[in-house]
Amino acid sequence: MATGEMLRSLALSLEGTVEAPHFDRAAFKVRRTYVTLAADGLTANFKFTPDEQQFKCMMLPEAFSPVQNAWGRQGWTTGILSKLDRADLRDALEMAWKHAQPGTRRQ
């Protein structure tokens, strides 16, 4: 079972990642934000491409769902951390982190 502290530790281990406040959440970013962690540490919003979002939601429907607004149509996806194991969390973070690298285009 993944936790907010596990997300924080894994995210900050990814090259170039810094943590910054983002409204009532913690944002993890390189050039731009790739994941935000809810204040209660129970959920996180990951920035995937729409295709990646569809895949994650299909493979782990109990853990991932699109954010319910225009952000969700752009690939932002909510993950319920208690439904993820460490490997699933790491995979999601690395997938989102790739899109935040300098030189990558927004999807």
Side-chain angles (χ1 to χ4, degrees):
M1 178 174 82
T3 65
E5 283 308 309
M6 185 183 295
L7 181 141
R8 177 174 277 111
S9 176
L10 289 171
L12 291 173
S13 75
L14 296 172
E15 186 176 344
T17 297
V18 296
E19 182 177 353
H22 181 75
F23 301 98
D24 63 335
R25 304 175 75 84
F28 299 87
K29 57 187 177 176
V30 179
R31 191 178 96 204
R32 54 187 172 263
T33 299
Y34 64 90
V35 66
T36 63
L37 177 62
D40 62 11
L42 300 178
T43 62
N45 291 336
F46 298 84
K47 176 56 171 112
F48 299 137
T49 66
D51 287 344
E52 291 167 341
Q53 177 190 70
Q54 184 178 11
F55 178 76
K56 288 290 190 190
C57 292
M58 179 185 69
M59 295 303 293
L60 292 168
E62 70 286 353
F64 290 110
S65 61
V67 170
Q68 295 297 307
N69 58 31
W71 291 105
R73 291 188 296 278
Q74 295 176 34
W76 282 97
T77 306
T78 298
I80 301 170
L81 298 179
S82 65
K83 303 291 185 181
L84 297 170
D85 62 26
R86 184 179 182 88
D88 292 326
L89 177 59
R90 183 176 248 321
D91 180 64
L93 285 167
E94 288 177 351
M95 185 177 281
W97 172 79
K98 287 186 314 185
H99 304 302
Q101 298 304 303
T104 57
R105 292 183 34 191
R106 285 191 185 260
Q107 295 279 339

